[in-house]
């Protein structure tokens, strides 16, 4: 169906963007800090994939919006 085709297309686009931009940027950060590539893969890429949840949680705490922080925590735990 069209949904599967769109899903495959967007995953392909995301793979190209990550391969072209994310991996070289991570390698450059590793070289400047002086850490191993394996360590960077675990920490930097793990943090970058969780960055939206962290930012939403921080903004929710600053604005005293308990629902935003809890929905972010619950949503990221379900995925």
């Amino acid at each position: 169906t069209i949904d599967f085709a769109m899903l495959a297309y967007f995953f392909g686009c995301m793979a190209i963007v990550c391969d072209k931009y994310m991996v070289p940027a991570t390698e450059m950060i590793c070289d400047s800090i002086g850490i191993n590539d394996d360590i960077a893969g675990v920490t930097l890429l793990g943090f970058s994939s969780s960055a939206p949840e962290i930012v939403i949680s921080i903004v929710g705490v600053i604005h005293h919006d308990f629902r935003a922080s809890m929905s972010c925590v619950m949503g990221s735990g379900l995925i």
Side-chain angles (χ1 to χ4, degrees), residues 12-71:
C13 290
M14 188 167 47
I16 291 169
V17 168
C18 287
D19 190 41
K20 189 172 183 179
Y21 297 108
M22 186 91 165
V23 173
T26 304
E27 289 174 350
M28 201 164 64
I29 292 170
C30 291
D31 291 340
S32 66
I33 296 175
I35 60 174
N36 190 356
D37 289 341
D38 296 330
I39 303 287
V42 172
T43 56
L44 295 175
L45 293 178
F47 177 75
S48 65
S49 69
S50 299
E53 288 91 0
I54 292 170
V55 170
I56 291 172
S57 294
I58 291 171
V59 169
V61 168
I62 290 172
H63 291 287
H64 303 290
D65 188 2
F66 179 72
R67 293 176 296 152
S69 298
M70 276 310 289
S71 62

